[in-house]
Amino acid sequence: MKPTLKSCLNGARSRAEHPAVPVTPAEIALAADGAAEAGAVAVHFHPRGADERESLRWSDVRPAVEAVRARCPGLALGVATREEIEPDLETRLALLGEWEAGPDFASVNWHEEGAERVAELLIERGIGIEAGLFTPDAARKFLAWRGPVVRVLVEALPGISPGQDGVAAAKATLAVLPAGFELVVHGEAEWAWPVLEWARSRGYGLRAGFEDMLTGPNGAGVTDNGQLVALMRGSA
């Protein structure tokens, strides 16, 4: 199986951080198209409300999903469910329960309270799961659940994943996982490029985009998500 190449289009970032961060459904669809042209086979994005803040409301998620599907037919697309979008678990579950013909997959962070309930509800809605594992403890919690997933994201985030080194943090989580999962390994912020380059050298699936980094591997400015995907592939 070829390693998965994903683009994370926006995360929680705003245009103030980079003018090309996509916010509206049309912008997200355009960014997804650029990432696919550069070689991404899947995209992950955070839909926004009219106030440009991340949203789990179906009335906000649906336009973004439909815009990407219309512009990029066949491109696998996923969205976020992180608790920072809606900290109250019961409210978050109620919002997710309103999703209809939603994204292909959604990321569920296993260090968060109620991750199992979130995942099971999404599966009931016909939405696949990307298990986000930030720590070895989260990996053990995920393995105890034993539910089906599309893939596992081994995520090294400064301040959340243990240690001062992103590659070491990723290795610690990977050490808990048995063989058999489709894996994407990535970091964020100052850990993003070191983890990506290490993961690429090991043949893992990769992720790049404005959610994870705002510059190229040497700190040079970039124009858009498509350029970050090209850099991820080593073709820019």
PDB file of all heavy atoms in Angstrom, residues 82-84 92 108-116 131-142 153 155 157 159-161:
ATOM      1  N   ARG A  82     -12.577  18.080  17.390  1.00  0.00           N
ATOM      2  CA  ARG A  82     -11.826  18.327  18.624  1.00  0.00           C
ATOM      3  C   ARG A  82     -12.658  19.055  19.663  1.00  0.00           C
ATOM      4  O   ARG A  82     -13.522  19.885  19.338  1.00  0.00           O
ATOM      5  CB  ARG A  82     -10.545  19.092  18.317  1.00  0.00           C
ATOM      6  CG  ARG A  82     -10.719  20.523  17.879  1.00  0.00           C
ATOM      7  CD  ARG A  82      -9.433  21.115  17.340  1.00  0.00           C
ATOM      8  NE  ARG A  82      -9.526  22.575  17.217  1.00  0.00           N
ATOM      9  CZ  ARG A  82      -8.926  23.426  18.044  1.00  0.00           C
ATOM     10  NH1 ARG A  82      -8.186  22.980  19.036  1.00  0.00           N
ATOM     11  NH2 ARG A  82      -9.067  24.733  17.876  1.00  0.00           N
ATOM     12  N   GLU A  83     -12.393  18.757  20.932  1.00  0.00           N
ATOM     13  CA  GLU A  83     -13.230  19.262  22.002  1.00  0.00           C
ATOM     14  C   GLU A  83     -13.132  20.774  22.162  1.00  0.00           C
ATOM     15  O   GLU A  83     -14.047  21.400  22.708  1.00  0.00           O
ATOM     16  CB  GLU A  83     -12.894  18.571  23.333  1.00  0.00           C
ATOM     17  CG  GLU A  83     -11.523  18.862  23.880  1.00  0.00           C
ATOM     18  CD  GLU A  83     -11.244  18.094  25.168  1.00  0.00           C
ATOM     19  OE1 GLU A  83     -12.140  17.343  25.613  1.00  0.00           O
ATOM     20  OE2 GLU A  83     -10.146  18.256  25.715  1.00  0.00           O
ATOM     21  N   GLU A  84     -12.051  21.389  21.672  1.00  0.00           N
ATOM     22  CA  GLU A  84     -11.947  22.840  21.776  1.00  0.00           C
ATOM     23  C   GLU A  84     -13.026  23.556  20.960  1.00  0.00           C
ATOM     24  O   GLU A  84     -13.378  24.702  21.249  1.00  0.00           O
ATOM     25  CB  GLU A  84     -10.563  23.311  21.319  1.00  0.00           C
ATOM     26  CG  GLU A  84      -9.436  22.976  22.269  1.00  0.00           C
ATOM     27  CD  GLU A  84      -8.855  21.597  22.032  1.00  0.00           C
ATOM     28  OE1 GLU A  84      -9.428  20.821  21.225  1.00  0.00           O
ATOM     29  OE2 GLU A  84      -7.817  21.291  22.652  1.00  0.00           O
ATOM     30  N   ARG A  92     -21.526  18.502  22.262  1.00  0.00           N
ATOM     31  CA  ARG A  92     -20.782  18.064  21.081  1.00  0.00           C
ATOM     32  C   ARG A  92     -21.457  16.847  20.453  1.00  0.00           C
ATOM     33  O   ARG A  92     -21.620  16.773  19.236  1.00  0.00           O
ATOM     34  CB  ARG A  92     -19.336  17.744  21.461  1.00  0.00           C
ATOM     35  CG  ARG A  92     -18.394  17.648  20.273  1.00  0.00           C
ATOM     36  CD  ARG A  92     -16.955  17.415  20.685  1.00  0.00           C
ATOM     37  NE  ARG A  92     -16.678  17.752  22.053  1.00  0.00           N
ATOM     38  CZ  ARG A  92     -16.006  16.966  22.903  1.00  0.00           C
ATOM     39  NH1 ARG A  92     -15.531  15.796  22.500  1.00  0.00           N
ATOM     40  NH2 ARG A  92     -15.786  17.347  24.139  1.00  0.00           N
ATOM     41  N   VAL A 108     -10.857  11.892  15.540  1.00  0.00           N
ATOM     42  CA  VAL A 108     -11.261  11.830  16.946  1.00  0.00           C
ATOM     43  C   VAL A 108      -9.989  11.712  17.768  1.00  0.00           C
ATOM     44  O   VAL A 108      -9.212  10.766  17.585  1.00  0.00           O
ATOM     45  CB  VAL A 108     -12.189  10.624  17.213  1.00  0.00           C
ATOM     46  CG1 VAL A 108     -12.546  10.560  18.693  1.00  0.00           C
ATOM     47  CG2 VAL A 108     -13.445  10.715  16.348  1.00  0.00           C
ATOM     48  N   ASN A 109      -9.777  12.664  18.654  1.00  0.00           N
ATOM     49  CA  ASN A 109      -8.560  12.689  19.470  1.00  0.00           C
ATOM     50  C   ASN A 109      -8.767  11.848  20.722  1.00  0.00           C
ATOM     51  O   ASN A 109      -9.643  12.142  21.538  1.00  0.00           O
ATOM     52  CB  ASN A 109      -8.200  14.122  19.853  1.00  0.00           C
ATOM     53  CG  ASN A 109      -7.883  14.972  18.645  1.00  0.00           C
ATOM     54  OD1 ASN A 109      -7.374  14.473  17.641  1.00  0.00           O
ATOM     55  ND2 ASN A 109      -8.183  16.257  18.722  1.00  0.00           N
ATOM     56  N   TRP A 110      -7.946  10.815  20.870  1.00  0.00           N
ATOM     57  CA  TRP A 110      -8.211   9.819  21.897  1.00  0.00           C
ATOM     58  C   TRP A 110      -7.786  10.239  23.293  1.00  0.00           C
ATOM     59  O   TRP A 110      -8.119   9.562  24.260  1.00  0.00           O
ATOM     60  CB  TRP A 110      -7.587   8.476  21.503  1.00  0.00           C
ATOM     61  CG  TRP A 110      -8.645   7.415  21.476  1.00  0.00           C
ATOM     62  CD1 TRP A 110      -8.906   6.503  22.441  1.00  0.00           C
ATOM     63  CD2 TRP A 110      -9.623   7.214  20.464  1.00  0.00           C
ATOM     64  NE1 TRP A 110      -9.995   5.734  22.085  1.00  0.00           N
ATOM     65  CE2 TRP A 110     -10.449   6.146  20.877  1.00  0.00           C
ATOM     66  CE3 TRP A 110      -9.885   7.820  19.244  1.00  0.00           C
ATOM     67  CZ2 TRP A 110     -11.513   5.673  20.119  1.00  0.00           C
ATOM     68  CZ3 TRP A 110     -10.942   7.357  18.483  1.00  0.00           C
ATOM     69  CH2 TRP A 110     -11.735   6.302  18.926  1.00  0.00           C
ATOM     70  N   HIS A 111      -7.109  11.370  23.438  1.00  0.00           N
ATOM     71  CA  HIS A 111      -6.809  11.854  24.783  1.00  0.00           C
ATOM     72  C   HIS A 111      -7.983  12.638  25.354  1.00  0.00           C
ATOM     73  O   HIS A 111      -7.985  12.992  26.538  1.00  0.00           O
ATOM     74  CB  HIS A 111      -5.553  12.735  24.784  1.00  0.00           C
ATOM     75  CG  HIS A 111      -5.688  14.001  24.007  1.00  0.00           C
ATOM     76  ND1 HIS A 111      -5.631  14.034  22.647  1.00  0.00           N
ATOM     77  CD2 HIS A 111      -5.894  15.277  24.407  1.00  0.00           C
ATOM     78  CE1 HIS A 111      -5.782  15.282  22.226  1.00  0.00           C
ATOM     79  NE2 HIS A 111      -5.953  16.055  23.272  1.00  0.00           N
ATOM     80  N   GLU A 112      -8.999  12.897  24.534  1.00  0.00           N
ATOM     81  CA  GLU A 112     -10.129  13.698  24.982  1.00  0.00           C
ATOM     82  C   GLU A 112     -11.181  12.831  25.670  1.00  0.00           C
ATOM     83  O   GLU A 112     -11.394  11.668  25.320  1.00  0.00           O
ATOM     84  CB  GLU A 112     -10.761  14.417  23.787  1.00  0.00           C
ATOM     85  CG  GLU A 112      -9.834  15.424  23.132  1.00  0.00           C
ATOM     86  CD  GLU A 112     -10.399  16.048  21.875  1.00  0.00           C
ATOM     87  OE1 GLU A 112     -11.510  15.639  21.451  1.00  0.00           O
ATOM     88  OE2 GLU A 112      -9.735  16.930  21.317  1.00  0.00           O
ATOM     89  N   GLU A 113     -11.868  13.434  26.631  1.00  0.00           N
ATOM     90  CA  GLU A 113     -12.953  12.740  27.324  1.00  0.00           C
ATOM     91  C   GLU A 113     -14.047  12.373  26.327  1.00  0.00           C
ATOM     92  O   GLU A 113     -14.442  13.170  25.477  1.00  0.00           O
ATOM     93  CB  GLU A 113     -13.544  13.641  28.408  1.00  0.00           C
ATOM     94  CG  GLU A 113     -14.719  13.020  29.150  1.00  0.00           C
ATOM     95  CD  GLU A 113     -15.417  14.000  30.081  1.00  0.00           C
ATOM     96  OE1 GLU A 113     -14.957  15.159  30.167  1.00  0.00           O
ATOM     97  OE2 GLU A 113     -16.420  13.595  30.692  1.00  0.00           O
ATOM     98  N   GLY A 114     -14.529  11.141  26.426  1.00  0.00           N
ATOM     99  CA  GLY A 114     -15.645  10.709  25.594  1.00  0.00           C
ATOM    100  C   GLY A 114     -15.279  10.363  24.175  1.00  0.00           C
ATOM    101  O   GLY A 114     -16.166  10.258  23.319  1.00  0.00           O
ATOM    102  N   ALA A 115     -13.991  10.156  23.893  1.00  0.00           N
ATOM    103  CA  ALA A 115     -13.580   9.849  22.520  1.00  0.00           C
ATOM    104  C   ALA A 115     -14.320   8.629  21.977  1.00  0.00           C
ATOM    105  O   ALA A 115     -14.731   8.613  20.807  1.00  0.00           O
ATOM    106  CB  ALA A 115     -12.076   9.622  22.464  1.00  0.00           C
ATOM    107  N   GLU A 116     -14.503   7.613  22.805  1.00  0.00           N
ATOM    108  CA  GLU A 116     -15.175   6.406  22.350  1.00  0.00           C
ATOM    109  C   GLU A 116     -16.616   6.711  21.932  1.00  0.00           C
ATOM    110  O   GLU A 116     -17.106   6.208  20.914  1.00  0.00           O
ATOM    111  CB  GLU A 116     -15.179   5.341  23.450  1.00  0.00           C
ATOM    112  CG  GLU A 116     -13.786   4.923  23.904  1.00  0.00           C
ATOM    113  CD  GLU A 116     -13.278   5.740  25.091  1.00  0.00           C
ATOM    114  OE1 GLU A 116     -13.787   6.871  25.311  1.00  0.00           O
ATOM    115  OE2 GLU A 116     -12.373   5.255  25.785  1.00  0.00           O
ATOM    116  N   ALA A 131      -8.245   7.966  14.062  1.00  0.00           N
ATOM    117  CA  ALA A 131      -7.922   8.024  15.489  1.00  0.00           C
ATOM    118  C   ALA A 131      -6.688   8.894  15.677  1.00  0.00           C
ATOM    119  O   ALA A 131      -5.601   8.556  15.208  1.00  0.00           O
ATOM    120  CB  ALA A 131      -7.665   6.624  16.027  1.00  0.00           C
ATOM    121  N   GLY A 132      -6.850  10.026  16.356  1.00  0.00           N
ATOM    122  CA  GLY A 132      -5.740  10.929  16.627  1.00  0.00           C
ATOM    123  C   GLY A 132      -5.072  10.571  17.942  1.00  0.00           C
ATOM    124  O   GLY A 132      -5.694  10.664  19.006  1.00  0.00           O
ATOM    125  N   LEU A 133      -3.815  10.141  17.867  1.00  0.00           N
ATOM    126  CA  LEU A 133      -3.090   9.681  19.050  1.00  0.00           C
ATOM    127  C   LEU A 133      -1.920  10.626  19.308  1.00  0.00           C
ATOM    128  O   LEU A 133      -0.927  10.618  18.589  1.00  0.00           O
ATOM    129  CB  LEU A 133      -2.588   8.251  18.842  1.00  0.00           C
ATOM    130  CG  LEU A 133      -3.642   7.225  18.396  1.00  0.00           C
ATOM    131  CD1 LEU A 133      -3.006   5.852  18.250  1.00  0.00           C
ATOM    132  CD2 LEU A 133      -4.821   7.200  19.355  1.00  0.00           C
ATOM    133  N   PHE A 134      -2.045  11.433  20.365  1.00  0.00           N
ATOM    134  CA  PHE A 134      -1.028  12.430  20.693  1.00  0.00           C
ATOM    135  C   PHE A 134       0.002  11.884  21.677  1.00  0.00           C
ATOM    136  O   PHE A 134       1.092  12.456  21.803  1.00  0.00           O
ATOM    137  CB  PHE A 134      -1.677  13.657  21.342  1.00  0.00           C
ATOM    138  CG  PHE A 134      -2.543  14.495  20.442  1.00  0.00           C
ATOM    139  CD1 PHE A 134      -3.294  13.937  19.419  1.00  0.00           C
ATOM    140  CD2 PHE A 134      -2.630  15.863  20.640  1.00  0.00           C
ATOM    141  CE1 PHE A 134      -4.110  14.721  18.610  1.00  0.00           C
ATOM    142  CE2 PHE A 134      -3.425  16.651  19.836  1.00  0.00           C
ATOM    143  CZ  PHE A 134      -4.176  16.086  18.821  1.00  0.00           C
ATOM    144  N   THR A 135      -0.348  10.815  22.400  1.00  0.00           N
ATOM    145  CA  THR A 135       0.490  10.302  23.479  1.00  0.00           C
ATOM    146  C   THR A 135       0.419   8.781  23.529  1.00  0.00           C
ATOM    147  O   THR A 135      -0.543   8.182  23.029  1.00  0.00           O
ATOM    148  CB  THR A 135       0.026  10.842  24.845  1.00  0.00           C
ATOM    149  OG1 THR A 135      -1.278  10.299  25.133  1.00  0.00           O
ATOM    150  CG2 THR A 135      -0.049  12.367  24.871  1.00  0.00           C
ATOM    151  N   PRO A 136       1.397   8.129  24.155  1.00  0.00           N
ATOM    152  CA  PRO A 136       1.292   6.679  24.348  1.00  0.00           C
ATOM    153  C   PRO A 136       0.060   6.280  25.147  1.00  0.00           C
ATOM    154  O   PRO A 136      -0.568   5.256  24.844  1.00  0.00           O
ATOM    155  CB  PRO A 136       2.586   6.344  25.093  1.00  0.00           C
ATOM    156  CG  PRO A 136       3.561   7.405  24.652  1.00  0.00           C
ATOM    157  CD  PRO A 136       2.728   8.646  24.551  1.00  0.00           C
ATOM    158  N   ASP A 137      -0.323   7.062  26.157  1.00  0.00           N
ATOM    159  CA  ASP A 137      -1.521   6.740  26.933  1.00  0.00           C
ATOM    160  C   ASP A 137      -2.767   6.780  26.051  1.00  0.00           C
ATOM    161  O   ASP A 137      -3.670   5.938  26.187  1.00  0.00           O
ATOM    162  CB  ASP A 137      -1.680   7.716  28.100  1.00  0.00           C
ATOM    163  CG  ASP A 137      -0.738   7.404  29.250  1.00  0.00           C
ATOM    164  OD1 ASP A 137      -0.154   6.299  29.269  1.00  0.00           O
ATOM    165  OD2 ASP A 137      -0.579   8.278  30.125  1.00  0.00           O
ATOM    166  N   ALA A 138      -2.831   7.755  25.144  1.00  0.00           N
ATOM    167  CA  ALA A 138      -3.969   7.824  24.228  1.00  0.00           C
ATOM    168  C   ALA A 138      -3.991   6.604  23.310  1.00  0.00           C
ATOM    169  O   ALA A 138      -5.064   6.069  22.998  1.00  0.00           O
ATOM    170  CB  ALA A 138      -3.900   9.106  23.407  1.00  0.00           C
ATOM    171  N   ALA A 139      -2.816   6.154  22.894  1.00  0.00           N
ATOM    172  CA  ALA A 139      -2.746   4.956  22.053  1.00  0.00           C
ATOM    173  C   ALA A 139      -3.271   3.740  22.797  1.00  0.00           C
ATOM    174  O   ALA A 139      -4.007   2.914  22.224  1.00  0.00           O
ATOM    175  CB  ALA A 139      -1.305   4.725  21.596  1.00  0.00           C
ATOM    176  N   ARG A 140      -2.921   3.604  24.059  1.00  0.00           N
ATOM    177  CA  ARG A 140      -3.418   2.462  24.850  1.00  0.00           C
ATOM    178  C   ARG A 140      -4.932   2.553  25.035  1.00  0.00           C
ATOM    179  O   ARG A 140      -5.644   1.534  24.965  1.00  0.00           O
ATOM    180  CB  ARG A 140      -2.687   2.420  26.187  1.00  0.00           C
ATOM    181  CG  ARG A 140      -1.254   1.898  26.075  1.00  0.00           C
ATOM    182  CD  ARG A 140      -0.580   1.743  27.423  1.00  0.00           C
ATOM    183  NE  ARG A 140      -0.015   2.999  27.863  1.00  0.00           N
ATOM    184  CZ  ARG A 140       1.238   3.393  27.615  1.00  0.00           C
ATOM    185  NH1 ARG A 140       2.062   2.629  26.919  1.00  0.00           N
ATOM    186  NH2 ARG A 140       1.689   4.548  28.068  1.00  0.00           N
ATOM    187  N   LYS A 141      -5.449   3.750  25.265  1.00  0.00           N
ATOM    188  CA  LYS A 141      -6.895   3.934  25.398  1.00  0.00           C
ATOM    189  C   LYS A 141      -7.593   3.560  24.096  1.00  0.00           C
ATOM    190  O   LYS A 141      -8.644   2.896  24.103  1.00  0.00           O
ATOM    191  CB  LYS A 141      -7.179   5.385  25.773  1.00  0.00           C
ATOM    192  CG  LYS A 141      -8.644   5.731  25.942  1.00  0.00           C
ATOM    193  CD  LYS A 141      -8.795   7.217  26.257  1.00  0.00           C
ATOM    194  CE  LYS A 141     -10.253   7.648  26.268  1.00  0.00           C
ATOM    195  NZ  LYS A 141     -10.402   9.113  26.423  1.00  0.00           N
ATOM    196  N   PHE A 142      -7.029   3.954  22.980  1.00  0.00           N
ATOM    197  CA  PHE A 142      -7.589   3.617  21.675  1.00  0.00           C
ATOM    198  C   PHE A 142      -7.602   2.102  21.459  1.00  0.00           C
ATOM    199  O   PHE A 142      -8.602   1.536  21.004  1.00  0.00           O
ATOM    200  CB  PHE A 142      -6.783   4.308  20.564  1.00  0.00           C
ATOM    201  CG  PHE A 142      -6.968   3.707  19.210  1.00  0.00           C
ATOM    202  CD1 PHE A 142      -8.178   3.817  18.537  1.00  0.00           C
ATOM    203  CD2 PHE A 142      -5.935   3.011  18.594  1.00  0.00           C
ATOM    204  CE1 PHE A 142      -8.347   3.250  17.281  1.00  0.00           C
ATOM    205  CE2 PHE A 142      -6.097   2.447  17.344  1.00  0.00           C
ATOM    206  CZ  PHE A 142      -7.318   2.565  16.682  1.00  0.00           C
ATOM    207  N   LEU A 153      -3.733   8.411  13.139  1.00  0.00           N
ATOM    208  CA  LEU A 153      -2.837   9.565  13.067  1.00  0.00           C
ATOM    209  C   LEU A 153      -1.962   9.575  14.305  1.00  0.00           C
ATOM    210  O   LEU A 153      -2.471   9.687  15.428  1.00  0.00           O
ATOM    211  CB  LEU A 153      -3.635  10.876  13.017  1.00  0.00           C
ATOM    212  CG  LEU A 153      -4.733  11.018  11.968  1.00  0.00           C
ATOM    213  CD1 LEU A 153      -5.391  12.382  12.097  1.00  0.00           C
ATOM    214  CD2 LEU A 153      -4.176  10.816  10.574  1.00  0.00           C
ATOM    215  N   GLU A 155       0.349  11.793  16.174  1.00  0.00           N
ATOM    216  CA  GLU A 155       0.478  13.242  16.137  1.00  0.00           C
ATOM    217  C   GLU A 155       1.411  13.713  17.245  1.00  0.00           C
ATOM    218  O   GLU A 155       1.180  13.430  18.412  1.00  0.00           O
ATOM    219  CB  GLU A 155      -0.893  13.885  16.286  1.00  0.00           C
ATOM    220  CG  GLU A 155      -1.926  13.271  15.320  1.00  0.00           C
ATOM    221  CD  GLU A 155      -3.233  14.023  15.281  1.00  0.00           C
ATOM    222  OE1 GLU A 155      -3.236  15.165  14.806  1.00  0.00           O
ATOM    223  OE2 GLU A 155      -4.239  13.461  15.746  1.00  0.00           O
ATOM    224  N   LEU A 157       2.633  16.911  19.069  1.00  0.00           N
ATOM    225  CA  LEU A 157       2.299  18.311  19.281  1.00  0.00           C
ATOM    226  C   LEU A 157       3.052  18.860  20.480  1.00  0.00           C
ATOM    227  O   LEU A 157       2.927  18.329  21.601  1.00  0.00           O
ATOM    228  CB  LEU A 157       0.796  18.493  19.505  1.00  0.00           C
ATOM    229  CG  LEU A 157      -0.079  18.562  18.252  1.00  0.00           C
ATOM    230  CD1 LEU A 157      -0.118  17.221  17.537  1.00  0.00           C
ATOM    231  CD2 LEU A 157      -1.470  19.034  18.602  1.00  0.00           C
ATOM    232  N   GLY A 159       3.919  20.598  23.737  1.00  0.00           N
ATOM    233  CA  GLY A 159       3.071  20.957  24.864  1.00  0.00           C
ATOM    234  C   GLY A 159       2.005  19.938  25.200  1.00  0.00           C
ATOM    235  O   GLY A 159       1.387  20.020  26.266  1.00  0.00           O
ATOM    236  N   ILE A 160       1.752  18.985  24.306  1.00  0.00           N
ATOM    237  CA  ILE A 160       0.767  17.927  24.561  1.00  0.00           C
ATOM    238  C   ILE A 160       1.456  16.573  24.538  1.00  0.00           C
ATOM    239  O   ILE A 160       1.326  15.787  25.475  1.00  0.00           O
ATOM    240  CB  ILE A 160      -0.376  17.968  23.531  1.00  0.00           C
ATOM    241  CG1 ILE A 160      -1.109  19.307  23.592  1.00  0.00           C
ATOM    242  CG2 ILE A 160      -1.341  16.813  23.779  1.00  0.00           C
ATOM    243  CD1 ILE A 160      -2.224  19.438  22.583  1.00  0.00           C
ATOM    244  N   SER A 161       2.164  16.279  23.466  1.00  0.00           N
ATOM    245  CA  SER A 161       2.909  15.018  23.394  1.00  0.00           C
ATOM    246  C   SER A 161       4.117  15.095  24.319  1.00  0.00           C
ATOM    247  O   SER A 161       4.727  16.154  24.461  1.00  0.00           O
ATOM    248  CB  SER A 161       3.369  14.772  21.950  1.00  0.00           C
ATOM    249  OG  SER A 161       2.265  14.763  21.070  1.00  0.00           O
TER     250      SER A 161
END
